[in-house]
Amino acid sequence: MLSPSLAQEIAGDTSAVIGFNVLITDADGMVIGSGDSSRVGSFHEASVEVIRTQEPATHNASQAHQLRGVRPGMTLPLVTGGQAVGTVGITGTPAQVRRFGLLVKRQTEILLRESVMLRSRLLAERAAETLLADIASYDPQVVEGDFLVFRAAELGFDLRLQRVAVAIEVSVPDAGARRQGAPTRDMALIRSELLRTVREVFADPQDIVASTAPGWIGVLRRLPARAEVASLAADCRRLTDVIAAQDGLTARVGIGEPAVSVAGLRDSWQDARDALRLGARVTGSPRVHLIAELRVHQVLAAVNQPARRRLVELTAANLRAQPDWPVLRDTITAWCESGFNLVRTSAALHIHRNTVVYRMNKIEQLTGRPLREHRTTMALYLACLTDELGEGATPDEG
């Protein structure tokens, strides 16, 4: 529990501050830290009795001479959780060092507890990272789902509860987008800071939060009964605002679908990653992307590039040759997503209905096909979505 490296650091720093040599022993009385490095590794006999009684002891020159490895001074027990884990000794005449004894003991115990807490937190974070990685790569032919359920239970997580996977990407804005005077941030260095921020939003004890890579954080968010994914999206938008305000960073979020099994969570995690990747291509500025709104894009991205290219070239070649192709593409997309309704389409595009009619007439003239023929229009719609995805949209990207 009391590591030699920590003991040496505490002993060296404390000795420099108080002007007397400080040594620290383990529970067996062996010196594991000292301002006088020559004493490290020696046996300090007085510590044995101090550890047994958990009471401090002082030793003058004659008393110290009778004990192995002991010099005049004071020895105090280091106690955590009611158990003595070692001692801290201060070398000097008892009258000189007594006033430092309790202060040094308390400071050392505080540092020891902080070290234990830090180690415990790091172990818990590592366990959560491993669990999320194993769920993300789950293959029933390689490992039983029940085994992962058992492992999660050992960490306090019930994988049988309904959860939704959330993928968070945090990046440093380019020089033009950074606030004036804001320092450049290194993702690896602020990992713990980001995890703490994410856990403040995803604070349910059943939420599994883990770093998956520098700048990437995964969450398996518990979704209580009757809760909706829409409320989760609101939490995610709040998270992106907090990260931007606190750290001057840019955060984007992808959200999967609810799941109640290991296989379902694996799929939800992949969906969240896909939502993050595809959302950036087709929606631009929004920071939170739901896979439920990108299912068609996901299917198109899974198709091989030659097939996607042929769909666009053979269905919308004349349209793509027009200077206002992005406007025509948005019109087709809005027409289909508004249920082939003129009023709703004009509202979605924020333009007058006569402008919509003009654009639709132009599209029909260029394609030679009526937009009220739904099968034709759906083919155009898929071509428009494919064009938005671009040539680089492959299933395994991101």
Side-chain angles (χ1 to χ4, degrees):
M1 183 179 293
L2 185 57
S3 69
S5 59
L6 176 62
Q8 182 58 45
E9 182 178 357
I10 294 173
D13 291 348
T14 308
S15 297
V17 170
I18 68 174
F20 294 93
N21 184 57
V22 173
L23 64 80
I24 296 174
T25 76
D26 61 16
D28 297 319
M30 299 300 297
V31 178
I32 56 175
S34 176
D36 177 1
S37 59
S38 66
R39 301 188 67 181
V40 175
S42 63
F43 178 65
H44 190 262
E45 187 175 356
S47 292
V48 176
E49 184 66 13
V50 171
I51 291 171
R52 187 185 68 81
T53 63
Q54 294 192 20
E55 293 291 338
T58 58
H59 305 90
N60 57 32
S62 61
Q63 291 170 326
H65 183 71
Q66 300 174 25
L67 297 170
R68 180 181 167 191
V70 178
R71 296 178 184 176
M74 186 176 190
T75 305
L76 304 98
L78 295 175
V79 180
T80 62
Q83 180 180 359
V85 296
T87 67
V88 58
I90 310 175
T91 302
T93 63
Q96 289 177 314
V97 301
R98 186 176 283 111
R99 66 182 185 274
F100 296 111
L102 188 58
L103 177 63
V104 172
K105 165 184 164 66
R106 287 179 175 172
Q107 183 64 27
T108 303
E109 289 176 344
I110 289 172
L111 293 173
L112 177 58
R113 284 195 296 271
E114 289 180 348
S115 174
V116 171
M117 290 175 61
L118 176 61
R119 177 175 173 79
S120 177
R121 179 169 62 84
L122 292 176
L123 288 174
E125 288 180 0
R126 179 56 182 160
E129 290 174 13
T130 303
L131 178 63
L132 179 56
D134 287 346
I135 290 173
S137 60
Y138 169 66
D139 182 347
Q141 301 299 319
V142 176
V143 62
E144 291 285 344
D146 288 344
F147 175 70
L148 292 181
V149 171
F150 174 76
R151 270 185 47 204
E154 287 188 318
L155 300 175
F157 302 119
D158 186 352
L159 293 186
R160 297 168 299 181
L161 299 175
Q162 181 172 247
R163 298 175 182 274
V164 177
V166 178
I168 305 165
E169 180 188 26
V170 183
S171 58
V172 178
D174 58 40
R178 279 204 308 273
R179 294 193 302 267
Q180 186 173 5
T184 301
R185 311 298 298 275
D186 187 312
M187 291 294 102
L189 295 178
I190 62 172
R191 171 181 172 277
S192 295
E193 185 179 333
L194 285 173
L195 283 172
R196 183 170 59 252
T197 300
V198 174
R199 289 195 180 100
E200 288 174 356
V201 174
F202 298 104
D204 190 307
Q206 282 294 322
D207 291 344
I208 302 174
V209 181
S211 174
T212 60
W216 284 86
I217 297 175
V219 181
L220 297 182
R221 167 69 157 171
R222 180 191 177 189
L223 196 64
R226 296 184 298 277
E228 297 182 356
V229 175
S231 65
L232 171 58
D235 289 339
C236 291
R237 282 188 287 271
R238 178 162 59 91
L239 173 63
T240 62
D241 290 340
V242 170
I243 291 175
Q246 288 185 352
D247 305 306
L249 303 171
T250 300
R252 294 175 49 254
V253 181
I255 302 175
E257 297 272 21
V260 292
S261 66
V262 174
L265 288 172
R266 174 202 58 201
D267 294 341
S268 183
W269 173 250
Q270 184 58 56
D271 282 347
R273 296 272 300 197
D274 286 348
L276 194 55
R277 171 173 57 87
L278 298 171
R281 290 182 175 275
V282 303
T283 60
S285 59
R287 296 162 296 171
V288 177
H289 312 281
L290 284 74
I291 193 61
E293 299 173 354
L294 295 164
R295 283 298 183 191
V296 177
H297 300 82
Q298 186 183 39
V299 171
L300 289 171
V303 176
N304 64 65
Q305 285 191 16
R308 291 203 310 270
R309 189 180 302 113
R310 283 176 59 81
L311 171 65
V312 174
E313 291 175 351
L314 298 179
T315 307
N318 291 339
L319 295 175
R320 294 183 77 211
Q322 301 303 308
D324 59 347
W325 160 238
V327 171
L328 301 178
R329 183 184 63 193
D330 291 346
T331 303
I332 295 170
T333 301
W335 171 249
C336 293
E337 294 179 353
S338 299
F340 311 106
N341 181 281
L342 185 60
V343 174
R344 289 199 291 268
T345 300
S346 63
L349 294 171
H350 306 290
I351 58 177
H352 193 276
R353 57 186 295 174
N354 289 343
T355 305
V356 176
V357 171
Y358 167 77
R359 292 181 184 177
M360 291 177 64
N361 288 336
K362 180 176 181 178
I363 292 168
E364 289 179 342
Q365 290 173 4
L366 289 168
T367 61
R369 301 173 182 175
L371 284 179
R372 295 187 183 277
E373 182 183 295
H374 294 169
R375 179 175 295 182
T376 295
T377 307
M378 288 307 297
L380 277 174
Y381 174 65
L382 294 177
C384 289
L385 297 187
T386 302
D387 185 77
E388 280 187 305
L389 290 175
E391 291 297 328
T394 55
D396 57 353
E397 183 186 357

